[in-house]
Amino acid sequence: MAFDHIIIGSGINGLVAAAMLALKGDRVLVLEREARFGGCLRTEEITAPGFHHDVMAATWVLFMTSPAGAVLGPHLARHGFDYCHAAAPTAVVRPDGSSLVLTMDGARNVANFNALAPGDGDRHAADVAGIAADAPFLFALLGGNLWSWATAKLLLGQVRKRGLRGLAAWMGTALAPARGWLEAHYQSPLVQALWAPWVLHTGLTPEASYSAQMGKVIAFALEAAGAPVVKGGSGAAVRAFQALIEEKGGVLRAGADVEEITVADGRVTGVRLVGGERILSKSVLASVAPGQLYDRLLPGVNLPDDRAAAAKFRHGRGNFQLHYALDAVPEWLSPGLEDVALIHLSDGIDAVSKSSNEAERGMLPATPTICVGQPSRLDPSRCPEGKAVLWLQIPDAPRVIKGDASGEIEGRDWDAVREAFADRIERILARHIKGFDKIKLARRAYSPSDLKAMNVNLVGGDPYGGHCGLDQFFIWRPFAHSTNGEGLVRGLIHIGASTHPGPGLGGGSGFNAAKRLGA
């Protein structure tokens, strides 16, 4: 059987593209090399029976607020897709126990920030209002097809609105690093500490260009939309996508490893699976890392520029995941944290900068930046009544270990040091939760190498599809000569976190590709 479109990979971008094209009425086939669908979207009982953990991706605010979410949300809801929310999306706790909670009540946040330092709340309101005012232009740049007449018209409209120098000034301000933004505009160390860790979740650091803008976008999104999880876990979202695609006549096959994208006369003809099976299609959407696409899936195709660029493509820091099954709901020693969706344990800008720099140099951070999710507080179905689940993400782990910044952990292999590094993280966590050792039932750690083993596109455990610095982002993602994921092979579209608009659960590259195909 021939298909209109073959999608390689069943992560968020592959699922979004497949659902959009299936709704259009096209014949769609999704091929997943692993035994289960979803890529980084998986919910499993990895600690103890009855405790359901989102092994990797967990927070869905980007999808909920995205164009893909707006189009697909009502269809997915018919198949059980639903969000669970918390009134307080995020908070920070410093080593001394001081803490600050962000709520979805803007006036309350302004009052709380001003109480810490006069003017900090007003500055927060101005930052959020600035993102809201620029939203049509800004989010088109962050998520749309950049090489398009629509973007050109948008830029011309901004020139008319701001003037050429005004637009240049806006872009220059948007390139500022988070350190400059936070230190220049906020006096309270707690307010600075609240936002500093968030830049790591965009694949950046406090010193990276445009990290300030991304920090402001996150502040706007969290205050406006929260930090929702999917009821039943991210795996439930995958099942909803699967049901929708199949309802519209699409086909999904797990355990189907593509060995080659077949090409004739410069045009895609389909794919050949490991084992020799050939499947015909007039287009292929490949949600893979550049190394997979150019080193493995396109053998014999004359693409010297793409192959050379893929060889130089840089991946970012690794990710470390740590999951706990608890015998009781955690009692935080700092007040007001019991119902917060995502809590960072960090001392502030310098601590985030230090830990991320250590990881980038191949060192195990002495004091890693820790993000603690409390999904069972939002969604009680994740565990037995009276129990709890904790989801920990450490976004500054080295891909390749060269040493330990503290000089305490021996070994250069993740399999050898994983539990010792998890112990370091647990000691920090336990300082903030009353009687943690007494309520801990079980834990499960995943190192960058473990994550890579589960998903071949997480190169070195990098969850962001590649380094997200300016030279590998926007119109330069993944390569300086990239154009909306399309190149010399007609009918082939490169999608996924390695392409614009980059990582996260927004599904942007899959959505954009489907729209270009008429969805």
Side-chain angles (χ1 to χ4, degrees):
M1 178 180 180
F3 291 87
D4 294 314
H5 314 284
I6 291 175
I7 292 91
I8 302 175
S10 63
I12 185 64
N13 286 289
L15 292 173
V16 164
M20 295 282 292
L21 293 167
L23 283 168
K24 176 177 177 278
D26 290 355
R27 293 166 297 173
V28 174
L29 171 64
V30 179
L31 298 173
E32 171 57 55
R33 66 179 290 164
E34 301 297 334
R36 65 180 67 217
F37 300 114
C40 292
L41 307 174
R42 50 198 298 168
T43 305
E44 301 174 27
E45 292 180 316
I46 55 174
T47 55
F51 291 82
H52 301 273
H53 303 264
D54 284 338
V55 177
M56 290 181 269
T59 303
W60 284 76
V61 62
L62 290 180
F63 183 77
M64 189 177 75
T65 57
S66 71
V71 172
L72 295 175
H75 299 283
L76 293 169
R78 291 189 291 103
H79 297 286
F81 187 109
D82 194 12
Y83 296 108
C84 298
H85 298 268
T90 193
V92 67
V93 183
R94 300 181 72 196
D96 63 3
S98 59
S99 62
L100 177 60
V101 175
L102 181 87
T103 73
M104 295 178 67
D105 182 337
R108 182 178 174 186
N109 293 331
V110 169
N112 289 342
F113 289 14
N114 276 335
L116 291 170
D120 276 12
D122 300 321
R123 182 68 225 184
H124 168 74
D127 283 340
V128 169
I131 296 298
D134 289 335
F137 175 50
L138 176 59
F139 290 115
L141 292 181
L142 289 174
N145 286 316
L146 294 182
W147 290 104
S148 66
W149 282 113
T151 299
K153 292 176 182 177
L154 191 69
L155 288 169
L156 288 173
Q158 290 296 309
V159 170
R160 287 194 294 269
K161 175 182 177 181
R162 304 172 190 267
L164 190 59
R165 286 299 307 163
L167 179 58
W170 182 91
M171 289 186 170
T173 301
L175 293 178
R179 178 180 289 277
W181 163 53
L182 292 172
E183 290 185 336
H185 295 103
Y186 293 97
Q187 302 306 308
S188 167
L190 265 174
V191 176
Q192 294 176 5
L194 178 69
W195 298 124
W198 275 103
V199 302
L200 301 185
H201 297 281
T202 67
L204 299 172
T205 68
E207 288 75 32
S209 295
Y210 79 93
S211 58
Q213 188 77 333
M214 296 307 294
K216 295 174 188 177
V217 168
I218 288 169
F220 167 80
L222 290 174
E223 187 172 273
V229 298
V230 172
K231 186 175 183 178
S234 292
V238 175
R239 292 190 292 275
F241 269 103
Q242 181 179 358
L244 173 60
I245 294 165
E246 292 176 339
E247 176 190 67
K248 299 303 177 181
V251 179
L252 299 95
R253 289 178 56 181
D257 190 4
V258 176
E259 187 168 43
E260 179 183 2
I261 298 170
T262 55
V263 178
D265 299 323
R267 170 170 285 281
V268 159
T269 60
V271 300
R272 179 169 55 83
L273 303 184
V274 171
E277 180 184 357
R278 292 179 179 270
I279 308 172
L280 299 178
S281 176
K282 61 186 180 183
S283 82
V284 171
L285 287 71
S287 184
V288 298
Q292 284 290 309
L293 183 58
Y294 295 104
D295 296 343
R296 179 171 181 262
L297 297 178
L298 291 168
V301 182
N302 185 26
L303 299 167
D305 292 341
D306 289 335
R307 294 190 197 283
K312 298 176 183 177
F313 186 77
R314 306 189 322 281
H315 282 274
R317 298 180 303 277
N319 193 44
F320 192 97
Q321 295 282 156
L322 190 57
H323 302 275
Y324 286 95
L326 302 182
D327 196 36
V329 175
E331 183 179 343
W332 292 87
L333 296 177
S334 302
L337 302 180
E338 52 278 350
D339 292 318
V340 177
L342 295 167
I343 302 166
H344 283 108
L345 309 182
S346 174
D347 201 24
I349 303 172
D350 290 342
V352 173
S353 179
K354 180 176 181 292
S355 64
S356 59
N357 179 266
E358 288 168 349
E360 291 189 342
R361 290 187 291 110
M363 308 298 287
L364 297 170
T367 306
T369 303
I370 302 170
C371 181
V372 184
Q374 302 188 98
S376 54
R377 295 296 285 175
L378 284 67
D379 177 12
S381 73
R382 301 289 184 95
C383 61
E385 186 176 358
K387 313 298 182 183
V389 163
L390 290 184
W391 173 96
L392 274 65
Q393 184 181 74
I394 293 78
D396 50 14
R399 294 195 316 275
V400 178
I401 302 171
K402 298 179 181 178
D404 176 25
S406 289
E408 299 169 348
I409 299 175
E410 298 292 335
R412 300 294 183 268
D413 180 83
W414 268 114
D415 289 341
V417 308
R418 177 183 57 233
E419 297 308 318
F421 190 58
D423 289 341
R424 174 174 294 173
I425 296 162
E426 184 173 309
R427 285 193 293 271
I428 297 171
L429 175 67
R431 294 181 198 133
H432 298 283
I433 295 176
K434 182 179 179 180
F436 183 79
D437 287 343
K438 295 179 180 178
I439 64 173
K440 183 181 78 170
L441 292 175
R443 84 176 185 196
R444 178 72 178 272
Y446 292 88
S447 72
S449 64
D450 294 326
L451 300 179
K452 167 67 164 56
M454 289 191 289
N455 187 331
V456 70
N457 294 308
L458 303 182
V459 179
D462 168 17
Y464 301 111
H467 179 66
C468 294
L470 193 57
D471 63 308
Q472 283 191 176
F473 220 71
F474 297 109
I475 60 173
W476 306 286
R477 192 167 186 88
F479 311 139
H481 63 273
S482 296
T483 306
N484 296 334
E486 299 180 74
L488 296 177
V489 179
R490 299 187 302 277
L492 173 63
I493 303 179
H494 190 190
I495 64 173
S498 298
T499 68
H500 179 75
L505 293 185
S509 64
F511 180 84
N512 291 340
K515 294 294 286 184
R516 291 200 302 276
L517 291 169

